[in-house]
Amino acid sequence: MLRSLARAAPSSSALFPRSIQIPTRFIKPAATCLYSTQPQQKRSASAHAISNPTLAGIEKRWEAMPPQEQADLWMALRDRMHVDWHELTLQEKKAAYWIAFGPHGPRSLPPPGEGWRIFNLTMIGVGVSFVFFLLIRTQARPAPGTMNKEYQEMTNEYLKAQNTEPISGVSSEGYKGKGQVQSGPKQKTKD
């Protein structure tokens, strides 16, 4: 199969004619390529380790540092991480990990007692809504006259007489459901 494929493929000169010239601004020298076979050249900024006093206690100082200082430290660590990681000091590894994944900024831990505060505010909201519910309920009109057992039983008889829903409803053979009955008996009013 491969032999026939090689004969069927057009020659490389047909695919890439010599008349096409690639501008040199798009071609990178091999020394600057990311995956070159030559040994990686070290940058001057990453050639020396960051001092231990700069990295000491970074977990405690990070939030209080000005944003420009944070950015400078992160850029210095990023430049240091371009070299072999075995050449990094333990302090640099810890600082780089903590800055990248530590509990600061959006990953910071919630302040103590925040869960109880949220729970209390939620319960206050539920309590206020329950009070509004009761207030509206006490001011509401009484239930309509159709919301009693006698009226709903008469509705069932009317539906049977009209043969409504003969397959699965009240009019069907052997129906054992309640039909339209959903309320208790009518309450007697004092006259």
Side-chain angles (χ1 to χ4, degrees):
M1 170 115 182
L2 290 176
R3 290 181 189 161
S4 62
L5 183 63
R7 279 186 248 145
S11 65
S12 62
S13 62
L15 289 176
F16 303 107
R18 295 187 190 274
S19 62
I20 295 177
Q21 296 293 324
I22 299 174
T24 56
R25 66 175 182 240
F26 296 120
I27 300 174
K28 292 184 178 179
T32 61
C33 287
L34 185 60
Y35 298 108
S36 66
T37 57
Q38 298 175 356
Q40 188 174 4
Q41 296 177 352
K42 295 181 181 179
R43 295 180 181 177
S44 61
S46 62
H48 57 71
I50 300 172
S51 65
N52 281 341
T54 305
L55 299 175
I58 193 70
E59 299 88 7
K60 297 175 184 128
R61 294 184 301 119
W62 184 258
E63 290 289 329
M65 288 172 67
Q68 183 60 41
E69 193 176 337
Q70 287 179 351
D72 291 341
L73 181 58
W74 174 242
M75 292 299 158
L77 279 170
R78 191 191 65 179
D79 289 342
R80 276 293 288 156
M81 287 188 286
H82 283 294
V83 301
D84 186 13
W85 274 59
H86 292 96
E87 295 176 18
L88 294 176
T89 65
L90 184 61
Q91 285 282 54
E92 288 173 331
K93 290 177 187 177
K94 285 181 179 179
Y97 181 83
W98 193 86
I99 291 171
F101 303 110
H104 57 82
R107 293 182 301 272
S108 61
L109 300 173
E114 185 178 15
W116 281 110
R117 183 172 163 253
I118 291 171
F119 177 76
N120 289 337
L121 290 174
T122 303
M123 289 300 112
I124 288 171
V126 169
V128 167
S129 61
F130 185 70
V131 167
F132 275 123
F133 171 76
L134 290 178
L135 183 66
I136 292 170
R137 239 0 228 168
T138 58
Q139 301 302 318
R141 287 187 256 164
T146 59
M147 294 300 291
N148 60 61
K149 187 173 184 177
E150 292 79 17
Y151 187 90
Q152 292 163 0
E153 285 175 347
M154 290 188 323
T155 303
N156 279 347
E157 295 303 320
Y158 177 77
L159 292 174
K160 286 179 188 175
Q162 296 293 321
N163 200 20
T164 305
E165 292 189 59
I167 297 175
S168 62
V170 177
S171 305
S172 64
E173 290 183 33
Y175 180 75
K176 295 181 181 171
K178 294 183 188 178
Q180 302 297 314
V181 178
Q182 60 182 350
S183 302
K186 186 175 185 178
Q187 296 178 353
K188 297 186 179 188
T189 58
K190 296 180 182 178
D191 290 332

